Amino acid sequence: MGHISDTIRSLHARLPEGVGLVAVSKFHPVEALREAYGAGQRIFGESRVQELLEKAQQMPGDVRWHFIGHLQTNKARQLVGLAAMIESVDSERLLELIDRLSQERGVVTNVLMQVHVAAEETKFGFSPDELLGYFRNRRFENLRATHICGIMGMATNTDDTDRIRSDFRTIAQLRRQILDICPDLRGFDTVSMGMSDDFPIAIEEGSTLVRVGTAIFGHRQY
Ligand SMILES: *Cc1c(COP(=O)(O)O)cnc(C)c1O
């Protein structure tokens, strides 16, 4: 068997119980996804709507597709009803749109709130204060067909493992702070953090879902 299936098997063996694996397959051909699927992988992460749609047509129906990229509002309609989870909700406007589209389609969409704690300016997401404000004001009570399952975030892109660790700690703490504000939130359990280079630290800091691309599929050809 090849490198992809070997890596999937060793990751499944190595990840602690309660930590899920999103195989981030963006920019990789469907053959690579099939090899991962053959090794038992079922959750795949994609960052572009068109690519996800094309791959979904070619992969078995029990794949759970997680959308992890910045979602433009004009593409949301195509994802609702198809994606098992939209991990990258980065604005209230997008959240409300997903909710409206989900009602129209008669489905409930699982989402994560993307929080921005990294030093980079360019990353999308709510700031920790915006997110706390959203829950303090109980804005989620307006949602009818969207389940907020938790939060997603990224650490600063750096070699400084102390900084990486403190970013992950901030993200995991934020979930607990939100639960302190809204103890009645149900199923707000997911902390999606950790990528190829930093997922072991993320797990130590409380990740429940790691998103691993390069370590499984190799480098991407953009
Ligand atoms: C591409 C991507 C990943 C995977 O990154 P790797 O370093 O290849 O493991 C994880 N999360 C998000 C949001 C991504 O865009």
Side-chain angles (χ1 to χ4, degrees), residues 34-145:
R34 288 209 182 96
E35 185 176 341
Y37 183 94
Q41 183 61 28
R42 290 297 177 270
I43 309 177
F44 289 85
E46 291 286 339
S47 60
R48 298 185 301 180
V49 172
Q50 190 56 37
E51 188 175 342
L52 189 155
L53 293 174
E54 282 165 17
K55 286 173 173 172
Q57 285 179 350
Q58 299 172 67
M59 290 291 288
D62 64 343
V63 165
R64 296 198 298 282
W65 298 99
H66 282 212
F67 190 78
I68 61 169
H70 174 61
L71 180 55
Q72 292 166 283
T73 49
N74 63 347
K75 304 234 172 102
R77 182 178 297 277
Q78 295 168 281
L79 273 191
V80 166
L82 175 60
M85 187 176 274
I86 300 175
E87 294 200 20
S88 45
V89 170
D90 55 10
S91 72
E92 259 190 84
R93 182 163 162 257
L94 177 60
L95 187 56
E96 279 158 15
L97 175 63
I98 290 169
D99 194 55
R100 188 161 53 72
L101 295 168
S102 302
Q103 288 181 63
E104 281 172 22
R105 289 212 54 174
V107 298
V108 172
T109 301
N110 294 319
V111 303
L112 302 178
M113 302 291 253
Q114 182 172 351
V115 59
H116 175 226
V117 301
E120 287 87 13
E121 286 293 326
T122 54
K123 296 228 170 103
F124 292 102
F126 294 89
S127 72
D129 280 345
E130 283 170 340
L131 211 49
L132 289 168
Y134 177 83
F135 286 97
R136 197 172 287 121
N137 296 321
R138 301 188 66 86
R139 310 275 282 249
F140 57 87
E141 288 182 344
N142 300 327
L143 301 173
R144 292 286 167 268

